[in-house]
């Protein structure tokens, strides 16, 4: 990457906003598109160009980065007369950092290959704080040479890149990591609910965990405030983890692999989603667990 690419960033949500800001801070020429235009105002104030459509953005950039919700959102920004794909030209590159399914990633990789567009499959590990601090772990799929070529771009958003193999290996690795995150979250919520059911202050759980080096997990500390205050401002919205749990189960089913704990976590998250908690942090599952205890609903 001798000449820095002109970057077009699509998706200025919790993660994408921070990642695009870090690219701008690192000195890249960043232009943006977001479905809800108000989210682009701070970028316009920074001197970034704001495109009216994904197609217009793709036309003004060498590298398009997508960080949107899910496959439906990817379709909305990629397809159709105003989509990115309509402006694909040989020599361009697409870096998808949204978490989608491996099947979706593979189809996108094929589409890019046919169009002569370099494709990188790079979902991320790390939540809002890591995105803000450029401390994400980037799970990279695609051709190794392409991942290496765009290393300075990845470096501006993350602390480390783990190369997983050809697409959709980045997405596959992401699902494995999120399986752990989903289970850690529900483990913490269940422990807190069990503690309260036994008359314990859940703060004791965090205190004891903190004294045990083998259990003193940074992720637990990230969710500590939510669990103790029963407040769930979104860092990782529940709706996104529910989507990912479903991708995990679908992938496992292809190999007749049973994931009983993940299946139970998916059911709990679906219940939470159906309670109207989709936009809250995934730690909100605690609210559903505590319903029989008569805890206040968030
Ligand atoms: P978010 O805050 O919900 O933002 C989602 C983004 O997607 C917004 O820019 C939204 O646009 C856009 N979008 C949604 N539906 C769309 C549609 N139909 N057409 C066009 N744009 C659409 O999500 P996030 O937390 O940043 O997560 C983004 C991706 O990263 C997800 O795939 C998530 O699973 C993954 N991820 C999240 C975390 C985390 O901790 N939050 C960590 C790792 C990976 P609007 O502004 O118009 O709504």
């Amino acid at each position: 990457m001798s000449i820095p690419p002109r970057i077009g960033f699509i998706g200025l949500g919790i993660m994408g906003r921070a990642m695009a800001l870090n690219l701008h801070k690192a000195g890249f020429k960043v232009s943006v598109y977001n479905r809800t235009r108000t989210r682009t105002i701070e970028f316009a104030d920074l001197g970034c160009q704001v495109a009216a459509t994904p197609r217009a953005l793709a036309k003004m950039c060498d590298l398009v980065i997508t960080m949107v919700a899910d496959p439906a959102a990817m379709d909305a920004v990629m397809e159709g007369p105003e989509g990115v794909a309509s402006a694909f030209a040989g020599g361009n590159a697409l870096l998808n950092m949204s978490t989608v399914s491996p099947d979706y990633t593979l189809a996108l990789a094929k589409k890019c290959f046919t169009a002569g567009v370099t494709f990188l499959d790079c979902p991320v590990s790390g939540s809002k704080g890591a995105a803000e601090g450029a401390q994400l772990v980037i799970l990279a799929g695609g051709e190794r040479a392409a991942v290496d070529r765009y290393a300075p771009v990845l470096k501006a958003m993350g602390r480390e890149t783990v190369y997983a193999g050809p697409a959709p290996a980045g997405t596959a690795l992401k699902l494995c990591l999120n399986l752990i995150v989903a289970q850690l979250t529900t483990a913490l919520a269940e422990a807190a609910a069990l503690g309260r059911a036994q008359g314990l202050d859940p703060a004791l759980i965090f205190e004891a965990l903190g004294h045990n080096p083998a259990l003193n997990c940074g992720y637990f500390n990230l969710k500590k405030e939510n669990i103790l205050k029963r407040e769930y401002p979104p860092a990782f919205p529940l709706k996104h983890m529910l989507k990912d749990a479903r991708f995990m189960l679908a992938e496992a089913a292809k190999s007749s692999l049973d994931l009983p704990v993940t299946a139970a976590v998916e059911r709990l998250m679906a219940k939470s989603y159906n309670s109207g908690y989709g936009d809250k942090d995934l730690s909100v599952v605690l609210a559903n667990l505590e319903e029989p205890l008569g805890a206040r609903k968030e």
Side-chain angles (χ1 to χ4, degrees):
M1 205 184 74
S2 46
I3 304 170
R6 293 168 301 166
I7 298 175
F9 203 104
I10 300 183
L12 304 171
I14 294 172
M15 299 294 284
R17 170 187 177 268
M19 292 157 75
L21 284 173
N22 283 331
L23 288 165
H24 173 76
K25 275 186 219 148
F28 288 102
K29 182 170 168 19
V30 179
S31 305
V32 295
Y33 168 82
N34 195 67
R35 177 182 62 175
T36 305
R37 205 174 162 97
T38 46
R39 285 186 159 162
T40 63
I41 292 170
E42 66 178 311
F43 288 88
D45 291 346
L46 289 169
C48 300
Q49 266 187 284
V50 176
T53 64
R55 175 183 164 84
L57 184 81
K59 276 183 141 338
M60 59 173 86
C61 296
D62 313 302
L63 169 67
V64 172
I65 301 180
T66 43
M67 189 55 167
V68 294
D70 52 21
M74 281 298 287
D75 280 346
V77 300
M78 292 299 302
E79 307 301 331
E82 295 304 330
V84 170
S86 71
F88 267 169
N92 290 157
L94 175 69
L95 167 52
N96 179 41
M97 307 189 84
S98 332
T99 309
V100 292
S101 65
D103 285 346
Y104 192 93
T105 299
L106 192 58
L108 198 53
K110 285 182 182 162
K111 192 177 286 183
C112 287
F113 180 79
T114 306
V117 168
T118 300
F119 177 68
L120 292 100
D121 156 35
C122 293
V124 301
S125 175
S127 196
K128 187 176 180 227
E132 287 168 351
Q135 293 295 304
L136 294 167
V137 176
I138 292 162
L139 312 169
E143 280 183 27
R144 174 120 224 181
V147 173
D148 290 346
R149 192 173 340 129
Y150 288 100
V153 174
L154 301 176
K155 186 79 198 139
M157 297 181 279
R159 61 187 296 158
E160 215 56 70
T161 296
V162 177
Y163 180 68
T171 297
L173 180 57
K174 169 67 182 169
L175 294 187
C176 297
L177 291 190
N178 266 14
L179 181 152
I180 295 169
V181 173
Q183 296 192 9
L184 283 181
T185 310
T186 46
L188 199 55
E190 285 196 357
L194 178 63
R196 283 191 182 119
Q198 297 176 103
L200 290 179
D201 179 351
L204 290 169
I205 299 170
F206 288 96
E207 187 184 338
L209 285 172
H211 290 307
N212 184 338
L215 289 176
N216 190 14
C217 168
Y219 183 74
F220 292 158
N221 288 324
L222 279 185
K223 299 301 171 192
K224 181 176 170 180
E225 289 265 294
N226 296 11
I227 297 286
L228 295 185
K229 293 186 177 164
R230 290 165 162 142
E231 289 171 2
Y232 312 103
F236 189 170
L238 176 102
K239 63 186 175 188
H240 294 329
M241 186 57 102
L242 177 60
K243 145 189 77 79
D244 296 348
R246 288 173 174 166
F247 292 153
M248 292 166 209
L249 294 172
E251 283 306 301
K254 284 185 195 165
S255 305
S256 303
L257 173 68
D258 193 19
L259 299 176
V261 181
T262 303
V265 166
E266 188 274 337
R267 284 196 298 277
L268 176 60
M269 290 188 171
K271 184 176 178 191
S272 207
Y273 182 84
N274 291 331
S275 306
Y277 299 155
D279 290 324
K280 293 184 183 289
D281 188 75
L282 75 168
S283 50
V284 72
V285 292
L286 177 60
N288 295 91
L289 292 172
E290 288 193 328
E291 272 163 18
L293 305 181
R296 72 188 160 90
K297 270 193 156 192
E298 295 303 321

